[in-house]
Amino acid sequence: MLKRLKNKDLLGLSDITKEEIRLILDHAKTMKQIIKSGVKKTADLQGKSVITLFYENSTRTRLSFELASKYMGAAAANISASTSSVSKGETLVDTGRTIAATSTDVIIIRHPMSGAPHLMAKNVAASVINAGDGMNEHPTQALLDMYTIEDKKGKLDGVEVAITGDALHSRVARSNIWGLSKMGANIRIFAPSTLLPKEIEKMGVKVCKTLSEAVEGADAVMGLRLQLERQKRALFPTEREYSKYFCIDEKIFSLAKKDALLMHPGPVNRGLELSSALIDCPSSFIDEQVTNGVAVRMALLDLLCNSKKFAY
Ligand code: CP
């Protein structure tokens, strides 16, 4: 059985194995117990330092990485690109080298350019974690999504997952497709034709013609945020029309299995992707996704920082 991750970095789920995903998800179960115990404290990262470097806004990812680091005893600090020397023209690689020169063990980076974390990882000895790069991947979000599904359904293999909404701009969708497919889940996708990535079928997903077709019989229904900030031109007529044709409401969600999970990576545009009533209903696991995000990120930091502890 695999006991540690193969690389120093986590850049995406396209380039890690099923066994590595299993290792992170299993280790996250231990971390969730620590969180639930009420005494959120371990010494696993004592003597380590973790820096979050965010070139884009974030609430969940940045906070959960910071809490995960602190719960485990690491020194943790945040750098926002807008208030750092990036605004004076410092390059990505020079910024990475500067952070690494402070003997940082882990750099967690979010960047609007796909591939930015990969470039940084090549230029620093520290572990680099991709916290979302452009329209490419958001691996820790997909890991926490997989954790949530497995926690509630008892398995990932054979689970039917519907992903709906702005798939074109969604790094969450891409990471989930890579990760869930590796773990044996079946994925259906539905998006407006202008927000559906070309050749997405080649990733092994079923493209549905209607929202009802995608949701019917699903074990988990994952809405995606409409990423207006990444749209260079209008890709749908109006938000009112988007809501009318693509919003999941209680009627549509009732087509899923009786015990289906409603999920969303957040932040949600209420009434656009999901109806407000549905977000607040008992089938909604959106808050639990956030809780699980801390556990998954604790597990990942432990595995990357303490690879000797997890020797084969
Ligand atoms: N899901 C997610 O990445 O949320 P934030 O942008 O708030 O980090």
Side-chain angles (χ1 to χ4, degrees):
M1 203 172 74
L2 192 66
K3 294 262 178 63
R4 66 181 179 195
L5 299 175
K6 291 177 183 162
N7 297 317
K8 76 171 177 70
D9 313 297
L10 180 78
L11 302 175
L13 298 191
S14 59
D15 54 8
I16 69 169
T17 63
K18 178 180 178 177
E19 290 71 30
E20 288 177 289
I21 294 173
R22 170 58 41 223
L23 177 64
I24 299 167
L25 296 181
D26 285 350
H27 197 41
K29 288 179 196 161
T30 310
M31 298 305 173
K32 180 97 183 262
Q33 289 308 316
I34 292 169
I35 294 169
K36 277 168 58 181
S37 76
V39 184
K40 300 184 277 285
K41 204 165 177 54
T42 78
D44 293 308
L45 296 190
Q46 215 155 38
K48 306 286 183 189
S49 53
V50 178
I51 305 294
T52 51
L53 172 64
F54 275 52
Y55 289 75
E56 287 183 338
N57 295 339
S58 167
T59 299
R60 292 148 200 80
T61 313
R62 196 173 120 168
L63 176 64
S64 60
F65 267 119
E66 187 175 342
L67 287 179
S69 309
K70 288 181 173 169
Y71 289 167
M72 301 173 83
N78 294 307
I79 301 173
S80 291
S82 58
T83 55
S84 74
S85 290
V86 169
S87 65
K88 301 175 198 165
E90 192 165 45
T91 66
L92 177 70
V93 170
D94 284 343
T95 301
R97 283 187 186 149
T98 303
I99 296 169
T102 65
S103 301
T104 292
D105 298 286
V106 185
I107 301 172
I108 297 152
I109 175 172
R110 170 171 288 187
H111 200 284
M113 193 188 86
S114 299
H118 306 67
L119 178 63
M120 179 157 294
K122 278 192 193 129
N123 285 280
V124 297
S127 290
V128 174
I129 299 176
N130 180 0
D133 64 324
M135 289 157 51
N136 181 36
E137 283 221 42
H138 190 350
T140 58
Q141 177 67 45
L143 286 165
L144 75 88
D145 292 339
M146 286 190 277
Y147 182 97
T148 305
I149 296 170
E150 188 173 60
D151 189 41
K152 295 295 161 203
K153 297 287 158 197
K155 61 177 185 172
L156 288 170
D157 191 31
V159 167
E160 296 287 333
V161 181
I163 300 178
T164 74
D166 183 356
L168 179 67
H169 301 105
S170 180
R171 51 201 181 199
V172 174
R174 268 177 203 77
S175 284
N176 264 300
I177 293 169
W178 286 120
L180 283 164
S181 308
K182 284 179 185 178
M183 303 312 283
N186 302 315
I187 303 156
R188 316 96 175 260
I189 199 154
F190 174 69
S193 57
T194 50
L195 293 173
L196 190 68
K198 282 196 187 90
E199 304 192 334
I200 194 155
E201 293 97 333
K202 288 189 179 159
M203 292 180 79
V205 303
K206 179 187 172 199
V207 175
C208 296
K209 290 192 174 60
T210 63
L211 188 55
S212 307
E213 184 192 350
V215 171
E216 193 168 0
D219 294 294
V221 178
M222 197 182 290
L224 298 173
R225 184 170 70 85
L226 191 54
Q227 299 194 26
L228 298 167
E229 75 277 17
R230 293 192 208 281
Q231 291 188 18
K232 294 186 182 68
R233 61 186 170 88
L235 294 171
F236 56 89
T238 63
E239 289 188 9
R240 203 147 47 126
E241 277 148 320
Y242 186 90
S243 170
K244 183 173 174 192
Y245 295 108
F246 302 106
C247 181
I248 302 170
D249 59 13
E250 286 151 301
K251 192 170 164 214
I252 291 284
F253 188 69
S254 71
L255 297 172
K257 287 205 182 114
K258 222 173 163 182
D259 57 354
L261 317 178
L262 178 74
M263 301 173 69
H264 192 292
V268 189
N269 294 304
R270 280 183 182 256
L272 258 188
E273 299 123 20
L274 305 176
S275 73
S276 209
L278 199 57
I279 291 166
D280 300 324
C281 82
S283 301
S284 171
F285 287 84
I286 297 170
D287 289 343
E288 196 155 333
Q289 286 174 264
V290 177
T291 308
N292 294 338
V294 182
V296 163
R297 287 165 179 135
M298 284 171 76
L300 178 61
L301 288 169
D302 194 21
L303 286 163
L304 289 177
C305 286
N306 296 311
S307 58
K308 289 195 185 92
K309 186 173 89 180
F310 300 98
Y312 290 100

